[in-house]
Amino acid sequence: MTGDVLNDFCIQAATVNGSGSQSSNLVITKALHHMGIPVAAKNVFPSNIEGQPTWYDIRVTPQGYQARKRTVDILIAMNPATWERDVANVRPGGAVIHEAALPRFGAADRDDVSWYPVPFARLAREKLEAKPDLRKYLQNMIYVGVLAELIGLDPAAVEQGVRDQFRTKPKAADLNLAAVQIGVDYTRENLVKTDPFRVAPMDGTRGTVLLDGNRAAALGSLMAGCTVLAWYPITPSSSLCEAFIDYAERYRVDAATGERRFAAIQAEDELAAIGIVLGAEWAGARAMTATSGPGISLMAELTGLGYYAEIPAVIFDIQRVGPSTGLPTRTMQGDLSFVHTLSHGDTRHPVLLPGTVLEVYEDAQRSFDVADRLQTPVFVLSDLDLGMNLWMTAPLPYTERAVDRGKVLDAEALEQVTEWARYRDVDGDGIPYRTLPGTANPRAAYFTRGSGHDEQALYTEDPDVYAANVDRLRRKIEGARTLLPAPLVEEAGNRVAICAYGSTHHAVVEARHQLADHGVETDYLRIRGLPLHPAVAEFIARHDRVYVAEQNRDGQMEALLRQELPGELADRLRSIRHFNGVPIDAEAISDPVLAGEQAQREPAEHQAVDAHRVPVA
Amino acid sequence: MAVAIEKLNRLGLNRDDYKGAHTTLCAGCGHNSITNHIVKALYDSAIEPHLIAKMSGIGCSSKAAAYFVEHAHGFNGAHGRMPSLATGAKLANRDLVVFGVSGDGDTASIGLGQYCHMIRRNLDMTYIIENNGVYGLTKGQSSATADLGSRPKRGPANRYEQIDISALAIELGASFVARSFSGDGKQLVPLIQAALAHRGTGVLDVISPCVTFNDHEGSTKSYAYVKDHDAPVNTPDYIAPLEEITVDYEPGTGQDVELHDGSHILLRKIGPDHDARDRMAAMRLLFEARQSGEIVTGLLYVNPEADDLCTREALTSRPLAQLPVEELRPSREQWDALMAGLA
């Protein structure tokens, strides 16, 4: 037995979905976190309820890298259907904990890994006093014990992980702890450790919590004073809406009367969901919906109404793999250019691009202010990876910040103004003043319409009035450039830079370290919103080559940049595209950058590896 | 010197206070008659104009929302999407009197899903369908409420079954369903007032002849098709100034109404023997009338006990739109406990 690799490896649990393995994996994740070891968890799951293969990757690194890693160091193989393939993915020198009944021949017969056969089914049958249906779930908890014993998980941290997981069910916690112990005992009595992977307590998680982006979005919406949620269930955004309802039921229900200070409507489809949001915002409530690609497609119609009639709205797009139904449980940054100009005619919508769980929380709050300030629908683009996976993050800070409800005239304010027209640009920023239905002043009323209208909101087809109005809308949305957060810039005077946005950030962090190890020092630009902040072009102007890394096939951000930048700056862009549905890893960025930089040094010989023409899948 | 004293309602407002912009619909359009009845009903019921939210979708009917209560906010939304916009508005401010005007294309075709789900949730609003069986704004295509075999201005006869939006509403559990005729103010005004008073979705399916495109030969099977072949046939770019069609008849009786193109419909007013609380009886009335080629009018069904959406959602009595953000955030202590639980 060796102890060569400490706190730096990747565990993959290959199981069957619907078998309760999620609880086991969360216990391992939380136990590592309790031991102070930075952990990153990625759930790669099928679009299915029960019986399909599912994988859960748990990565520990002393540096706290949060991106996925391609290699598997320790495999927990519980699924006969993917057994051979799963074993083949384990790196030489790795370890395989597996159901003893799985046959070790063919692709699964390797002599360069450590084998730990465990008769999980038999142990569960013989040693667990539980009903057969429950035993199936507990069987997976046994592998927690085996792993704990093999890598040296602190038993107290494991127990804490189990107690966290079954916080409201102490009896279930005891039963699960018994299952863990069966795994520990079996390992002690029957297995000899021959792999190098182990963990030891460190101080790498202090002051952090484990949270998914969807919960952070729900909490941000709650803090922003969102009172109306309308949604249609769709993976991977449903958990955002369900979290909002959870929290609202906890914090927004009058204990004495049961009266609710929120409304959450599960609509008949996404057409109705965005309709309810716009109706509520028109009447003055903060409202939001959350959806994914297919729902965005349905919302195209009313998003255009919101833009033209100038009604605030907040739309969370938790992106998944398209086109069409696509891969519903896999991740992508494929909706960027679509949502930015969603709907027919000339439209443009502000888009927020959070890259971390903390930013999701902040942007969720910010999105309501931006929507109210600009009187227009605002998108918050997250994705399945950021939205549904657990991330290490600083605790979300409590906010007492006042909210910006924008230019709203109430009955009293109307008394003060001599003239008011719903769509008149009084302040020169393109943003008019609005009134809410129910305002007790006869001058408050106006007629909202998605058809052509003049400053008084009256119907018109006048060419000059139409043109002036939509040009004002253009100017209004231009204001979003500086209203949205400036890009995050890490700059040390390097000639080469990486540009990314959203969840791609975490792979960039690691890729830059890898590149530095290869002698390629890079600066970093992370875009936080659309339309682009002026600092984006300024940054690109200070660099010779900017590699734009993103998780879609067509390099959508790179295309947007090319469209907006002068040709001389556009020529400095190189595109790196990752689009196979699993979260991007660091090598998907560092490999093409290295290739591109080598080609730069030896241009004649390496033309073919221009990263722009070689998408990395 | 005698001065004409304007009659004021309970709020001290006169009827003109409930009027809106001038109509741009065709002269003689049934929709204009309905607008006048809406004005009278809102005036008679003394609804605060600023609390009214006028909602509509897209189509000739939906334009009508601009033609009453000028001092109320209005929202001419998107085709078939008015129910969802109205749902949001009511949730945001439950003090609003939400008043919707839709058409048969808006409700029975593109918006059928939203219509069904509005009814299912029993959104507290008045929902008038100005039902003429035809797409007017796009110049005369059949709608889903057109009778089987009726012929639009151009193109083939309607080959498909009609959707009966009143029967559908009752089937879906609607809490208030009435059918009327645009020219029957005596019946329609009180029905609108009743729908306003009702807490839930008040569906008013109002037959409203289209003067320009209503060319439904044989739209009622039992009455012979009558047509004056010398009457000017209206073309889409010339609309003859036609008089509005009005009727006045007693409950329990029928009335034959000649439409602008010379075709006829037979209205049958529900008599006092109908129990509007009896859902089965309401369905039977509709089916029997359809069998005999009649259009039955009056209050078909009402269930005043059904909880409306805001009640089902246990919404606080104050409008959500008016709650200060401080009342919407958890306390710092609650927040800290929440975060501690994630560590």
Side-chain angles (χ1 to χ4, degrees), chain A residues 42 113 144 338 345 382 524 568 580:
Chain A
K42 305 281 180 205
V113 296
V144 177
F338 185 50
S382 175
Y524 182 29
E568 188 261 324
N580 62 5

Side-chain angles (χ1 to χ4, degrees), chain A residues 436-611:
Chain A
L436 305 177
T439 302
N441 185 320
R443 291 168 65 213
Y446 70 97
F447 197 77
T448 307
R449 57 181 97 230
S451 49
H453 44 268
D454 63 15
E455 287 186 340
Q456 274 85 22
L458 300 172
Y459 183 77
T460 181
E461 295 170 6
D462 183 292
D464 296 334
V465 172
Y466 170 81
N469 188 38
V470 293
D471 199 51
R472 176 182 59 76
L473 287 174
R474 184 191 56 75
R475 282 191 287 115
K476 182 178 87 163
I477 302 298
E478 278 292 300
R481 288 186 193 277
T482 46
L483 199 58
L484 302 183
L488 179 144
V489 169
E490 287 175 27
E491 208 167 0
N494 294 301
R495 304 313 304 162
V496 179
I498 297 173
C499 167
Y501 58 96
S503 65
T504 303
H505 167 66
H506 305 276
V508 175
V509 170
E510 192 177 347
R512 290 178 69 209
H513 291 169
Q514 292 170 344
L515 287 165
D517 289 345
H518 284 86
V520 179
E521 295 288 343
T522 54
D523 288 345
Y524 182 29
L525 171 78
R526 183 150 63 82
I527 296 172
R528 298 280 311 273
L530 294 176
L532 295 168
H533 194 280
V536 172
E538 291 160 18
F539 177 93
I540 292 168
R542 291 193 295 272
H543 294 83
D544 295 337
R545 286 175 302 289
V546 178
Y547 291 85
V548 185
E550 54 193 312
Q551 300 181 64
N552 58 63
R553 186 195 64 187
D554 293 341
Q556 295 183 17
M557 179 63 88
E558 192 242 9
L560 277 168
L561 288 165
R562 281 183 183 277
Q563 195 179 314
E564 203 158 304
L565 296 172
E568 188 261 324
L569 291 187
D571 288 345
R572 303 180 185 191
L573 302 176
R574 306 286 184 274
S575 180
I576 296 173
R577 303 140 186 215
H578 169 91
F579 52 92
N580 62 5
V582 294
I584 190 169
D585 60 293
E587 283 82 7
I589 297 167
S590 55
D591 286 352
V593 172
L594 268 182
E597 288 307 296
Q598 277 163 14
Q600 188 64 31
R601 281 177 216 135
E602 308 158 61
E605 288 169 50
H606 289 84
Q607 292 278 324
V609 291
D610 177 357

Side-chain angles (χ1 to χ4, degrees), chain A residues 234-252:
Chain A
I234 182 171
T235 304
S237 68
S238 300
S239 65
L240 194 166
C241 303
E242 287 162 344
F244 181 87
I245 295 167
D246 274 357
Y247 293 129
E249 285 179 343
R250 212 182 294 177
Y251 303 122
R252 296 252 192 98

Side-chain angles (χ1 to χ4, degrees), chain B residues 92-105:
Chain B
N93 186 346
R94 61 182 302 175
D95 290 349
L96 295 175
V97 178
V98 182
F99 197 98
V101 184
S102 180
D104 39 307

Side-chain angles (χ1 to χ4, degrees), chain A residues 317-335:
Chain A
D317 178 5
I318 316 303
Q319 298 166 98
R320 68 186 214 186
V321 172
S324 189
T325 304
L327 311 180
T329 58
R330 300 296 155 85
T331 196
M332 190 181 187
Q333 296 180 308
D335 296 348

Side-chain angles (χ1 to χ4, degrees), chain B residues 102-181:
Chain B
S102 180
D104 39 307
D106 202 55
T107 289
S109 285
I110 194 166
L112 189 63
Q114 296 211 347
Y115 174 69
C116 293
H117 287 272
M118 166 191 68
I119 288 168
R120 188 178 148 246
R121 296 189 190 106
N122 202 23
L123 171 67
D124 183 16
M125 76 174 292
T126 301
Y127 189 96
I128 294 184
I129 306 117
E130 302 186 340
N131 186 354
N132 57 13
V134 74
Y135 283 84
L137 267 183
T138 52
K139 316 224 166 185
Q141 299 82 3
S142 287
S143 91
T145 64
D147 295 320
L148 179 66
S150 67
R151 187 170 284 278
K153 188 100 183 156
R154 289 188 299 262
N158 175 34
R159 291 187 291 267
Y160 308 111
E161 294 296 331
Q162 66 141 315
I163 292 174
D164 183 328
I165 42 189
S166 288
L168 178 63
I170 295 169
E171 162 59 29
L172 290 166
S175 57
F176 183 110
V177 182
R179 179 171 273 169
S180 188
F181 180 67

Side-chain angles (χ1 to χ4, degrees), chain B residues 6-44:
Chain B
E6 284 183 296
K7 208 178 147 210
L8 303 178
N9 69 8
R10 193 160 43 77
L11 297 172
L13 299 172
N14 65 46
R15 197 161 154 175
D16 283 352
D17 292 321
Y18 290 87
K19 287 187 175 165
H22 283 296
T23 178
T24 57
L25 299 172
C26 308
C29 175
H31 297 0
N32 288 332
S33 311
I34 297 172
T35 297
N36 293 334
H37 303 320
I38 292 171
V39 168
K40 179 153 178 21
L42 290 169
Y43 160 76
D44 284 350

Side-chain angles (χ1 to χ4, degrees), chain A residues 61 87 214 224 244 347 420 542 580:
Chain A
T61 60
V87 169
N214 282 353
F244 181 87
T347 59
W420 172 69
R542 291 193 295 272
N580 62 5

